[in-house]
């Protein structure tokens, strides 16, 4: 028999609520956690360690070097691309997750099992990867990979901002360049959201079982933050090699006649041969430090805004009922 993720009937969250609550949560998450993402990308792109005697950089040293050479604003390179895509990304994530969950619910009872939650999260992650995340990441990584100083007006980078980077990439490499690494991005986002939503749903259920007085209302914010933090850390641990290969693939310019599979194979082989197995886990510390608190912020702000909207908004902001 399928295990319920939540025993209590609840209103289905509407697309309008997901757009507003998800977008607000995404913007807050990006503003708080983007510096750690920049450090992660720099670590993944670093070729240090290939030359004998050249010391590897940890995430603290990488961050210090960025601030020293490029000012603190260097940690926010690529933020424009992220903020541009974060509202549709989060809206698509939460809206598609709810839709897939209803689609996979038991037709007779309306119960959404743990397995259905996992596959709904997987499908939601793939959907956001194809619709928004891949082009956004290509532009973000191109901006983050630039080592120019933000304080020196004479140090002009190739890509001046997100809009200029988008224009330049499409002009020089074609529209298809925006979808470089889409298969790896879909695999990363899908596995992330499958693990993330499933873990979060189970943690939430256990807390409601332990604290029945909160049934029918939001859990305390600190509890939502804690379970979001723990569930958010699980995805990066399961797919770090995928993320590192994806980052290098999206930073590079495609060679004529080379297929995506050939590029992925070539990058993977070169990494293993020249840098060793540990290279696939470069940036894992700042990535966990970026994704885990990011999910904590996202779920906490999302639950807060969703509750406010459903209590004070028009009837159009709520949908029918289903049972998790």
């Amino acid at each position: 028999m399928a295990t319920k993720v939540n025993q209590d009937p609840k209103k289905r969250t509407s697309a309008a609520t997901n757009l507003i609550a998800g977008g607000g949560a995404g913007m807050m998450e990006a503003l708080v956690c983007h510096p750690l993402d920049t450090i992660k990308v720099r670590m993944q792109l670093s070729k240090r360690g290939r030359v004998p005697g050249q010391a590897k950089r940890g995430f603290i040293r990488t961050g210090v070097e960025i601030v020293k050479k490029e000012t603190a604003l260097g940690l926010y390179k690529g933020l424009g691309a992220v903020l541009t895509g974060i509202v549709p990304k989060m809206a698509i994530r939460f809206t598609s997750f709810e839709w897939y969950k209803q689609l996979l619910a038991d037709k007779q009872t309306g119960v959404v099992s743990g397995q259905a939650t996992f596959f709904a999260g997987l499908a939601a992650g793939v959907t956001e990867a194809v619709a928004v995340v891949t082009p956004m990441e290509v532009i973000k990584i191109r901006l983050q990979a630039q080592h120019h100083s933000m304080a020196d007006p004479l140090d002009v980078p190739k890509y001046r901002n997100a809009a200029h980077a988008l224009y330049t990439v499409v002009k020089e490499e074609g529209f298809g360049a925006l979808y470089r690494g889409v298969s790896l991005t879909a695999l990363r986002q899908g596995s992330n959201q499958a693990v993330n939503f499933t873990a979060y749903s189970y943690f939430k259920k256990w807390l409601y079982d332990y604290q029945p007085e909160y049934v029918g209302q939001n859990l305390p914010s600190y509890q939502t933050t804690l379970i979001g933090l723990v569930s958010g850390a699980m995805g990066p641990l399961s797919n770090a090699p995928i993320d590192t290969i994806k980052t290098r693939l999206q930073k590079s310019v495609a060679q004529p006649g080379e297929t995506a599979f050939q590029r992925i194979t070539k990058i993977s082989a070169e990494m293993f041969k020249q840098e060793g197995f540990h290279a696939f886990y470069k940036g894992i510390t700042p990535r966990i430090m970026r994704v885990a608190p990011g999910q904590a912020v996202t779920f906490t702000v999302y639950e807060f805004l969703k509750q406010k909207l459903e209590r004070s908004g028009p009837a159009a902001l709520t949908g029918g009922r289903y049972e998790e």
Side-chain angles (χ1 to χ4, degrees), residues 18 20-21 49 91 95 110 142 152 173 183 185 201 215 218 262 270 315:
N18 282 318
I20 300 168
T95 304
R142 296 295 180 94
D152 184 359
E173 303 172 48
S183 58
T185 305
S201 297
V215 171
N218 279 358
Q262 288 173 331
E270 286 181 351

Side-chain angles (χ1 to χ4, degrees), residues 218-240:
N218 279 358
L219 291 166
S221 294
Y222 77 91
Q223 294 184 12
T224 303
T225 300
L226 181 61
I227 62 177
L229 184 75
V230 177
S231 62
M234 294 180 174
L237 290 170
S238 67
N239 59 24

Side-chain angles (χ1 to χ4, degrees), residues 292-320:
Q295 290 303 315
V297 171
T298 297
F299 277 122
T300 304
V301 176
Y302 174 79
E303 297 281 11
F304 174 79
L305 291 177
K306 184 179 75 168
Q307 183 184 56
K308 292 296 183 183
L309 288 166
E310 290 178 344
R311 283 182 177 177
S312 61
L317 289 179
T318 58

Side-chain angles (χ1 to χ4, degrees), residues 183-224:
S183 58
L184 292 176
T185 305
L187 187 59
R188 185 197 68 175
Q189 293 300 113
S191 57
N192 265 352
Q193 300 316 317
V195 172
N196 189 26
F197 276 117
T198 304
Y200 179 78
S201 297
Y202 273 107
F203 289 146
K204 193 174 174 182
K205 173 189 178 298
W206 293 334
L207 286 173
Y208 275 125
D209 288 345
Y210 183 70
Q211 305 166 114
E213 66 271 20
Y214 288 116
V215 171
Q217 58 183 308
N218 279 358
L219 291 166
S221 294
Y222 77 91
Q223 294 184 12
T224 303

Side-chain angles (χ1 to χ4, degrees), residues 125-126 128-130 133-135 137-138 179-191 242 246 250:
V126 172
E128 72 177 22
V130 175
V133 177
T134 304
E137 291 251 316
V138 170
Y179 279 88
R180 188 164 299 141
V182 64
S183 58
L184 292 176
T185 305
L187 187 59
R188 185 197 68 175
Q189 293 300 113
S191 57
I242 295 170
K246 175 201 73 68
Q250 291 178 325

